[in-house]
Amino acid sequence: MANFHRVVAIDGPAASGKSSVARLLARRLGYSYVNSGAIYRAITWHILQRGIDAGDTERIAQTVEAARISCRFRNSESHILVDDFDPVEHLRDDRVNENVSRVSSIPRVRKTVVREMREYARHRDLIVEGRDIGSVVFPETPYKFYVDASPEVRLRRRAAEGQRDKIAMRDRADFLRPISPLIIAKDAQVIDTSHLTIEGVVKEIITRLKEMGLPI
Ligand code: DC
């Protein structure tokens, strides 16, 4: 990819295991790990913190465009700061879970976030996980994976994390939104993680990356 380092894209629905897989894969390959959902979550937290209604599209877009969004890599893992504050402890708050799909469906918000992520890839090799990484953010990368698991398994995983995330509701919103919906990029490799451990999925991805000629 012109001007970009290597990018491995990992997309999939909520609780498909993509964060754990991406984090471990990044460690194994010595790449940095970017959780794009965390960027949308940080922005959603920022909006709610300012008392802005999640339905006020224009005000949200203006606020996000005016905000200073930056990224620090700690232990090769991205931490997103909004106006110099790292909201990491709030990213899984119920109110963030409930509003993030709506905020992330706003085209101007997406444009800002996509630009950010593409900038990170100018400086380092990345594993990036999300919903539209292979289809929209880095369509040029040949290394695209779509990880999935049955709805029952995904619900169990969230419950095991002690979370009351309404993943069915978010899935619907993420699949059906008109801009950058969750789709399987046509050149992505699909992996069903329902009956695999994190380690098992990472092994499978590394095998396929080697077959594709990625020097590992
Ligand atoms: O990966 P996650 O469940 O933490 O993502 C939270 C929300 O962010 C998800 O419901 C939709 C949005 N998102 C997105 O629109 N595009 C991405 N690439 C990643 C996340």
Side-chain angles (χ1 to χ4, degrees):
M1 290 188 297
N3 301 322
F4 285 128
H5 281 246
R6 293 190 181 104
V7 173
V8 178
I10 301 187
D11 288 302
S16 53
K18 58 188 187 312
S19 301
S20 314
V21 165
R23 185 178 286 117
L24 183 57
L25 183 63
R27 255 187 246 141
R28 291 278 156 80
L29 301 188
Y31 286 22
S32 296
Y33 162 53
V34 176
N35 175 341
S36 65
I39 309 179
Y40 289 105
R41 285 174 180 275
I43 285 174
T44 302
W45 177 83
H46 180 72
I47 294 296
L48 295 171
Q49 201 60 14
R50 298 186 140 216
I52 300 172
D53 189 284
D56 191 343
T57 304
E58 180 58 32
R59 205 159 152 226
I60 293 174
Q62 278 176 6
T63 305
V64 170
E65 284 168 355
R68 213 171 24 258
I69 297 169
S70 56
C71 177
R72 302 260 182 290
F73 283 92
R74 273 186 234 132
N75 297 324
S76 297
E77 191 164 319
S78 64
H79 285 261
I80 303 305
L81 283 73
V82 187
D83 285 348
D84 300 322
F85 184 79
D86 179 356
V88 66
E89 296 188 351
H90 305 284
L91 299 184
R92 302 253 162 209
D93 288 358
D94 286 348
R95 61 185 191 138
V96 172
N97 282 334
E98 282 156 20
N99 289 288
V100 64
S101 284
R102 203 156 172 203
V103 171
S104 65
S105 69
I106 299 170
R108 281 161 64 192
V109 170
R110 300 202 72 80
K111 202 169 164 197
T112 303
V113 174
V114 169
R115 198 188 313 121
E116 270 292 305
M117 286 192 276
R118 290 177 73 84
E119 187 55 35
Y120 307 155
R122 291 191 186 286
H123 307 289
R124 49 184 84 223
D125 293 331
L126 297 179
I127 310 290
V128 189
E129 56 117 329
R131 302 292 189 290
D132 61 341
I133 307 306
S135 56
V136 174
V137 187
F138 295 106
E140 311 91 337
T141 184
Y143 312 117
K144 297 179 190 178
F145 296 88
Y146 185 94
V147 294
D148 207 349
S150 69
E152 297 74 32
V153 168
R154 294 193 289 120
L155 257 181
R156 236 181 291 137
R157 285 178 183 163
R158 272 295 188 262
E161 289 168 359
Q163 285 220 38
R164 287 177 298 159
D165 189 0
K166 298 189 184 74
I167 60 173
M169 198 181 72
R170 282 206 292 132
D171 278 355
R172 231 182 351 264
D174 297 343
F175 276 116
L176 296 178
R177 69 180 177 219
I179 173 170
S180 304
L182 174 61
I183 53 162
I184 304 176
K186 60 181 181 323
D187 49 345
Q189 306 203 29
V190 180
I191 299 179
D192 184 348
T193 71
S194 300
H195 305 291
L196 290 174
T197 59
I198 306 293
E199 181 70 40
V201 180
V202 169
K203 256 182 152 168
E204 180 63 33
I205 291 180
I206 289 178
T207 301
R208 296 193 193 192
L209 287 172
K210 280 183 181 160
E211 283 166 8
M212 295 172 79
L214 184 74
I216 294 175

